Amino acid sequence: ALEKKVIKSKLGEKVGLPCCHEIPSSDSLHNYRVYWQKNTMEVVLAYAEGKEISKHKRYENRTEMNDRNFTLWISPVEIPDSGPYQCVVQHLKSSQNPSVMCDETVTLFVGADFSEPNITAEVTAVSCESTEMVVRCSSYGGFPKPEMSGALNNESVVWNVSWVPESSLSPYNVTGKLQLNVTKDVSFTCSVESNGLTKSTSLLLKKANDCVLPPMLLSYNVITASSIIIIIFLLAITLAARYLPRHVCSRYCKPQDSVDEAVKECTKTPMSSKVTSETSAV
């Protein structure tokens, strides 16, 4: 059977796959045999003479069929449900020779929306001229595999993109990484496109205003300044030790004449000694 119809659905929704035949009001489901099968080999659901005769284990409690137009309902739909489904309807005019009323294929495509992109910027180095940073953009929970794009002030940039998981039948988490050298404030936009739907987020990347010296240069300057302070301190102590005693002496010592008189006074014979000598003479 040729694929003629495509049905699109979102992950978790309820979807109906139409069949190619509808029972006339004058007829009954008991006169029909209906097969819904996937990929022409996997029987999803089968009815005969008005009763369900087969159902695939993976579709248990998720499928039902309309008993008039044979529409196959799947809820909640999952990403592995994507693919071609074939509806085969037979009329049981006689059990030995049932006639095929229709045989048609419809393709189900299950998609999932990605989350709004999240942008983060990590500064790795700062200089007077520029700011180096690593920019990351991430989005999750979408299907099919997306395309990620970026723009810096409306100019396209190329991401280093990774996907998790790398499976073709499960939702994707996508992360893009980019290294930038920002010389001024710029607007950055990250976009994720999947299944015809695009989601975008923008972030203003700011250049650091402070001019920060490299760590090695900063350490050298600190050592130099400390050495100069120590040298000045030592010179001050040396000068103080040399000139301070003279200054104190000039301020507090007696003049030279007074010193000479004091010496002469000290060398005079004491009065008591003179009296003792006179007494001895008598």
Side-chain angles (χ1 to χ4, degrees):
L2 298 177
E3 296 183 9
K4 296 181 180 181
K5 296 180 181 179
V6 176
I7 303 297
K8 293 185 177 182
S9 178
K10 293 291 183 64
L11 178 67
E13 292 182 346
K14 182 176 183 179
V15 62
L17 305 181
C19 190
C20 48
H21 185 75
E22 184 173 353
I23 300 177
S25 57
S26 58
D27 209 342
S28 169
L29 181 62
H30 291 78
N31 297 324
Y32 289 86
R33 185 181 295 155
V34 183
Y35 295 95
W36 270 106
Q37 52 195 27
K38 184 182 179 185
N39 298 321
T40 68
M41 297 184 65
E42 179 182 301
V43 177
V44 177
L45 188 67
Y47 271 77
E49 298 179 348
K51 297 180 181 180
E52 182 182 297
I53 58 174
S54 178
K55 178 179 285 188
H56 195 281
K57 184 178 180 179
R58 204 178 69 78
Y59 292 90
E60 284 286 347
N61 301 319
R62 293 197 304 124
T63 55
E64 59 183 356
M65 190 187 73
N66 184 287
D67 58 5
R68 300 304 299 177
N69 59 18
F70 308 131
T71 296
L72 177 66
W73 291 95
I74 305 175
S75 177
V77 70
E78 300 173 355
I79 289 177
D81 295 336
S82 297
Y85 289 77
Q86 184 179 5
C87 180
V88 180
V89 179
Q90 298 175 342
H91 194 276
L92 304 177
K93 293 180 180 179
S94 64
S95 58
Q96 290 80 15
N97 188 24
S99 60
V100 177
M101 305 299 297
C102 75
D103 182 345
E104 191 172 86
T105 299
V106 57
T107 298
L108 173 63
F109 180 85
V110 181
D113 292 341
F114 279 87
S115 65
E116 293 290 338
N118 179 49
I119 304 176
T120 60
E122 178 186 358
V123 176
T124 56
V126 177
S127 66
C128 297
E129 294 78 18
S130 64
T131 301
E132 294 181 12
M133 59 181 66
V134 176
V135 180
R136 290 181 174 86
C137 180
S138 59
S139 184
Y140 60 88
F143 189 87
K145 193 174 184 178
E147 292 290 334
M148 176 174 280
S149 58
L152 190 64
N153 279 354
N154 297 323
E155 293 186 8
S156 298
V157 295
V158 179
W159 288 102
N160 181 10
V161 185
S162 60
W163 294 271
V164 177
E166 291 293 344
S167 169
S168 61
L169 293 177
S170 58
Y172 286 94
N173 296 340
V174 58
T175 300
K177 181 180 177 182
L178 186 66
Q179 291 185 335
L180 293 178
N181 191 19
V182 178
T183 58
K184 61 181 180 179
D185 294 353
V186 291
S187 176
F188 191 85
T189 301
C190 176
S191 302
V192 176
E193 189 275 329
S194 178
N195 195 25
L197 179 65
T198 301
K199 291 189 175 182
S200 300
T201 300
S202 296
L203 179 67
L204 180 62
L205 303 179
K206 294 185 177 182
K207 177 185 176 297
N209 294 324
D210 297 334
C211 187
V212 180
L213 295 175
M216 293 182 62
L217 182 58
L218 182 61
S219 301
Y220 174 78
N221 288 342
V222 171
I223 294 172
T224 303
S226 301
S227 301
I228 293 173
I229 293 173
I230 293 172
I231 292 172
I232 293 174
F233 180 72
L234 292 175
L235 287 174
I237 292 177
T238 303
L239 292 174
R242 175 172 296 183
Y243 294 105
L244 186 60
R246 296 182 181 181
H247 177 70
V248 173
C249 182
S250 64
R251 183 174 181 179
Y252 294 102
C253 291
K254 294 181 179 181
Q256 187 64 35
D257 294 342
S258 300
V259 173
D260 293 341
E261 291 177 2
V263 171
K264 291 179 182 180
E265 193 68 29
C266 290
T267 57
K268 287 183 180 181
T269 304
M271 182 63 68
S272 57
S273 300
K274 184 178 180 181
V275 172
T276 305
S277 299
E278 292 178 354
T279 304
S280 300
V282 174

